[in-house]
Amino acid sequence: QVQLVESGGGLVQAGGSLRLSCAASGRTFSTYVMGWFRQAPGKEREFAAAIRWSGGSPYYADSAKGRFTISKDNAENTVYLQMNSLKPEDTAVYFCNARRIRGLPKNEYWGQGTQVTVSS
């Protein structure tokens, strides 16, 4: 079955960096957009970054732009989120997402999430 497995979360001080990984398996993702979302305690899940598996320019939320970089390695079936200049407000569970944008059915998959905690 399709599986998205996040890793790389942890505890860092403000101003530090982390690199999250999303290992994707179970199908071909050539028609999918791969993305990162986050959910802080007591808040709604929000978009952070995304990129098409087939290539192209990445997309970023305003809160992520300039600090976060999404990338991928198609051969490894892995999507990354490099997070720099981390702030306490970045503290959240970060989820990997895959959404089909061409063809049918319109599948969507989520990972279990990885915790990122930024201390002041």
Side-chain angles (χ1 to χ4, degrees):
Q1 66 176 28
V2 174
Q3 222 176 9
L4 304 177
V5 181
E6 302 95 335
S7 62
L11 174 63
V12 297
Q13 289 188 309
S17 299
L18 284 173
R19 189 178 76 156
L20 307 183
S21 298
C22 172
S25 62
R27 68 164 302 116
T28 299
F29 292 92
S30 58
T31 58
Y32 284 69
V33 169
M34 310 300 294
W36 288 95
F37 292 73
R38 66 186 188 183
Q39 188 166 21
K43 296 185 178 180
E44 300 295 323
R45 189 170 298 185
E46 67 176 13
F47 168 77
I51 190 168
R52 294 187 179 194
W53 191 268
S54 58
S57 299
Y59 304 86
Y60 297 101
D62 288 344
S63 60
K65 195 169 186 177
R67 300 187 299 124
F68 294 4
T69 303
I70 189 170
S71 62
K72 58 184 177 64
D73 187 325
N74 289 15
E76 293 182 356
N77 277 10
T78 302
V79 181
Y80 304 97
L81 185 68
Q82 178 68 45
M83 304 187 295
N84 299 325
S85 302
L86 284 163
K87 307 173 182 178
E89 51 262 45
D90 294 319
T91 295
V93 177
Y94 284 72
F95 297 90
C96 184
N97 169 265
R99 175 179 289 183
R100 192 176 190 180
I101 58 171
R102 292 188 297 277
L104 295 171
K106 294 295 186 182
N107 295 320
E108 186 172 33
Y109 306 99
W110 292 91
Q112 292 294 308
T114 185
Q115 176 71 48
V116 171
T117 302
V118 184
S119 63
S120 59

